[in-house]
Amino acid sequence: MKHVTLIPGDGIGPEITEAVKAVFEAAQVPVVWDVHNAGLASLEAGNELIPASLIDSLNKNRVALKAPITTPVGKGFKSINVQLRQKFDLYQNIRPAKSTEGIKTRYGNVDLVLFRENTEGLYSGLEMYDERLGISDSVARITHVGCQKICDAAFEYAHKHNRKKVTIIHKANILKTAGKILLDAAAKSAARFPHIKLEDKIIDNMCMQLVDRPEQFDVLVTTNLFGDILSDLCSGLVGGLGVVAGANIGRDMAIFEAVHGSAPDIAGKGIANPTAILRSALMLLHHIDEHGQAFRIEAALEKTLLNKEQCTGDLGGKASTMEFAQHVIDNLAAYAPGGIAVEA
Ligand code: NAD
């Protein structure tokens, strides 16, 4: 059995993680959850924002599934998500966005993997505020080392997964030195993989191109804030925030989480779509080499998504979070490990 740290999070977090736990239990996935809270949920229970027990669990297990955590806007504590990514140097944020047969959108053939640099840029925490003068300086620190690491990771991924093209997204026409560091790093990574095409796009043009013809792109690499915004945009191309997974990867630690946040507008109603966190959990299973189980649950999930009635409201269905999870569980019977269909 593999011990995995589970952070149930805030808002819809506890509801969608219950769905993942139910599916894993039904599939008899050899995972033991080591549950620890963080952020508001932890504070309300009288503990630290990031309790020492959570850090111990992460250090011990080296792999976690994390539900979204609420961050106060314009005041309050520093994002727990950003703190965890920086503390464990989870420098790669990988967010695949792929069209799904059962989810109808105006695009039919999207298959993107976004690599977002996860620890630098405008998330460096270098903000200086002079209340008297009414000035705030936010420093977007970019380093050679950070850019090289994310570009290398994206090219290595592209090579391993037989991807054809890597697009670097920047604003080097205005942010000239930061842009140059990123583009130089990309050229250095690309030189190791001459069979993979390298191109670059300015962020504003990239947004238009993605909305217009997303099928022309393959692997994307960008800095932290652009990556945050682009990943929500990419979610919109393939069915919305309820379906897109993500992974925060470092040298020897990985925390898997959906792209979406804690969705306070629907929290507590039992209607959130658990697909995004379930897909994140499937990325986790691949990470711990449980490929057979990952493909089996994925097949059951895809079958469920084909039936709109069985889906949650964001996908046009009427199912609750746990009803959706139950449909996935029911569909497990149709597949053997590896996702191979079992004859009826
Ligand atoms: P959000 O992603 O929580 O919600 C945006 C919209 O998408 C809402 O209408 C919501 O109902 C919908 N949505 C999101 N997930 C859904 C799901 N699984 N099923 C159905 N609908 C879903 O973005 P927000 O409202 O801007 O942020 C809310 C809070 O989440 C903020 O405190 C923010 O800081 C935090 N946040 C956390 C993370 C994280 O923990 N990694 C990521 C993003 C935002």
Side-chain angles (χ1 to χ4, degrees):
M1 289 292 234
K2 173 76 184 160
H3 288 253
V4 173
T5 304
L6 176 66
I7 306 173
D10 301 314
I12 60 171
E15 301 162 43
I16 55 176
T17 48
E18 273 313 306
V20 173
K21 281 163 75 179
V23 172
F24 272 32
E25 193 180 334
Q28 297 183 308
V29 174
V31 156
V32 178
W33 299 112
D34 188 8
V35 183
H36 292 271
N37 249 315
L40 283 178
S42 174
L43 214 54
E44 280 162 15
N47 298 318
E48 299 288 303
L49 281 168
I50 304 184
S53 58
L54 169 61
I55 300 297
D56 290 347
S57 171
L58 290 168
N59 276 324
K60 187 163 57 94
N61 298 329
R62 317 306 297 177
V63 61
L65 181 67
K66 182 188 141 314
I69 295 177
T70 299
T71 306
V73 174
K75 58 181 177 163
F77 57 82
K78 183 178 168 186
S79 162
I80 304 299
N81 310 306
V82 173
Q83 288 191 57
L84 290 174
R85 292 167 189 167
Q86 289 175 342
K87 179 172 179 55
F88 295 108
D89 192 21
L90 305 172
Y91 63 95
Q92 307 173 35
N93 191 323
I94 308 175
R95 294 177 160 182
K98 193 170 189 288
S99 302
T100 306
E101 200 188 335
I103 303 173
K104 297 286 168 258
T105 69
R106 68 194 84 157
Y107 308 97
N109 194 22
V110 178
D111 187 4
L112 306 167
V113 182
L114 176 71
F115 277 72
R116 162 189 177 189
E117 200 294 318
N118 216 15
T119 58
E120 302 189 336
L122 275 165
Y123 290 65
S124 300
L126 302 169
E127 257 197 339
M128 287 148 290
Y129 178 45
D130 188 324
E131 191 172 2
R132 193 177 52 86
L133 295 177
I135 295 175
S136 171
D137 295 314
S138 303
V139 178
R141 176 165 292 169
I142 302 286
T143 68
H144 277 285
V145 173
C147 288
Q148 199 61 65
K149 277 162 62 179
I150 194 69
C151 289
D152 283 349
F155 271 90
E156 282 158 17
Y157 176 97
H159 174 66
K160 188 173 169 199
H161 294 88
N162 203 20
R163 297 278 182 159
K164 305 286 179 256
K165 185 168 81 169
V166 174
T167 305
I168 311 296
I169 301 132
H170 59 80
K171 188 70 184 173
N173 52 333
I174 305 297
L175 307 171
K176 293 183 193 292
T177 55
K180 183 173 176 351
I181 290 180
L182 179 64
L183 288 168
D184 285 352
K188 207 167 156 193
S189 305
R192 292 168 47 216
F193 302 96
H195 56 293
I196 300 170
K197 185 173 178 220
L198 168 66
E199 67 171 16
D200 71 276
K201 292 262 180 288
I202 294 173
I203 177 70
D204 27 349
N205 175 32
M206 183 67 187
C207 291
M208 189 279 289
Q209 298 272 347
L210 271 172
V211 172
D212 189 40
R213 274 197 316 122
E215 63 284 348
Q216 65 181 298
F217 297 108
D218 192 343
V219 173
L220 314 178
V221 184
T222 193
T223 47
N224 210 337
L225 183 64
F226 292 162
D228 184 33
I229 297 166
L230 278 184
S231 50
D232 271 37
L233 191 159
C234 291
S235 303
L237 305 175
V238 296
L241 282 168
V243 300
V244 178
N248 304 286
I249 309 276
R251 261 171 70 90
D252 58 358
M253 169 98 63
I255 300 181
F256 295 81
E257 63 178 340
V259 168
H260 65 72
S262 55
D265 54 337
I266 56 167
K269 296 182 178 165
I271 58 170
N273 188 346
T275 301
I277 192 137
L278 184 56
R279 284 181 165 165
S280 309
L282 299 184
M283 290 175 81
L284 184 157
L285 287 184
H286 284 297
H287 180 79
I288 59 171
D289 289 332
E290 285 290 341
H291 305 289
Q293 287 284 12
F295 285 129
R296 178 176 179 228
I297 298 171
E298 185 185 354
L301 171 64
E302 298 300 306
K303 187 172 159 73
T304 309
L305 290 170
L306 284 173
N307 186 342
K308 207 174 183 178
E309 282 296 301
Q310 297 186 347
C311 293
T312 45
D314 56 315
L315 297 180
K318 291 196 179 68
S320 69
T321 306
M322 289 312 286
E323 284 166 352
F324 179 85
Q326 189 57 50
H327 291 307
V328 176
I329 290 168
D330 294 344
N331 285 330
L332 281 171
Y335 302 97
I340 299 151
V342 177
E343 282 181 40

